[in-house]
Amino acid sequence: MSRSGNNQIVSVVLWDVVPVIGTYYVCRALSVSEYAAMLTAASVGFLRVAYVAVRQRRFDGFAAFMGVVFGVGMILSLLTGDAKFLLAIKSVTTAVAGLIFLGSCVAGRPAAFAVAKRFGAEDADTARRWDVLYAAEPMFRRTYLVMTLVWGIALLVESAVRLPLVYWLPTDVMAGLSSILLVATIGLLGAWSAWYGKRGEEAAKKASSSEAGSRDAVPARALSDD
């Protein structure tokens, strides 16, 4: 994953998080209750996802996930009337995302590769080159297997840390801190993925070049023996 891809991930997360946090604290400044402010903020998040999907005329996996996060949270919050429960749902969905990453490894389709192509491939040629490397080079596949495992475990840890804080700290504190933890986690993962993915691609290219050189050398030695 390139550095530009890393920046794009952080940009997407910020656009999906900052309006939600801002809406919550504006509502609280206007003396709106915690529950009503949280529900309004979740509604803004859901509308943001819907707007992006309509503008881009596509509703991909990332948008679908964010839509589920806000949509399910709003429905369950309406049923329970609990602002903290709405925050807790976000931790649960993060954990589910972590499990999906780990499950994709078991299925033999590491999710980090699809994420890297979406956010890190500068153009269609880059995406095709990565597809070729992924199909031909075990080292390249291993890079994204490791990357997917790290993402899955990190998201599970982030969820495990954040969920108790939802009930230990005041809602007004966790409304902002919850999102900051998520952005920080994804930002660090993105920075590490940019470095690790680039290193893996370079190693795979070297391995591919070495193999090609070895294949070319065999006929040459055979001719010299003749």
Side-chain angles (χ1 to χ4, degrees):
M1 189 181 299
S2 67
R3 189 172 301 275
S4 62
N6 173 36
N7 293 336
Q8 190 179 357
I9 289 178
V10 175
S11 176
V12 169
V13 173
L14 287 175
W15 273 108
D16 284 313
V17 167
V18 172
V20 175
I21 297 177
T23 299
Y24 176 83
Y25 286 115
V26 167
C27 288
R28 292 294 288 149
L30 296 174
S31 300
V32 176
S33 68
E34 290 178 350
Y35 170 69
M38 189 63 64
L39 195 60
T40 302
S43 300
V44 168
F46 186 81
L47 290 174
R48 155 72 184 168
V49 172
Y51 165 74
V52 172
V54 171
R55 187 189 65 182
Q56 297 181 351
R57 296 184 179 180
R58 63 188 177 91
F59 199 66
D60 59 17
F62 184 82
F65 173 71
M66 294 304 299
V68 169
V69 169
F70 291 116
V72 172
M74 287 168 60
I75 293 171
L76 293 177
S77 182
L78 286 171
L79 294 176
T80 62
D82 185 0
K84 285 186 177 293
F85 188 75
L86 183 54
L87 285 172
I89 286 296
K90 292 182 180 180
S91 293
V92 173
T93 50
T94 302
V96 170
L99 291 174
I100 290 173
F101 269 83
L102 296 180
S104 71
C105 294
V106 176
R109 304 283 294 180
F113 183 63
V115 174
K117 282 209 302 180
R118 181 193 165 182
F119 291 104
E122 294 86 357
D123 49 40
D125 289 338
T126 301
R128 283 193 293 269
R129 186 177 74 249
W130 287 359
D131 283 333
V132 171
L133 278 173
Y134 190 87
E137 292 298 329
M139 187 180 298
F140 195 67
R141 291 194 295 272
R142 182 180 178 278
T143 295
Y144 284 96
L145 175 62
V146 172
M147 197 182 295
T148 303
L149 288 172
V150 170
W151 272 77
I153 293 170
L155 289 175
L156 287 175
V157 171
E158 189 272 347
S159 176
V161 169
R162 182 156 44 113
L163 188 56
L165 294 178
V166 168
Y167 291 97
W168 290 344
L169 297 177
T171 302
D172 283 344
V173 174
M174 278 307 298
L177 182 58
S178 175
S179 297
I180 290 172
L181 285 172
L182 177 61
V183 171
T185 299
I186 292 180
L188 289 173
L189 285 170
W192 173 79
S193 297
W195 169 79
Y196 190 73
K198 183 178 180 180
R199 191 185 74 163
E201 183 179 2
E202 291 174 351
K205 286 179 179 178
K206 288 180 181 178
S208 180
S209 298
S210 298
E211 290 175 3
S214 298
R215 287 193 299 268
D216 292 341
V218 170
R221 287 197 299 270
L223 287 173
S224 63
D225 292 340
D226 292 340

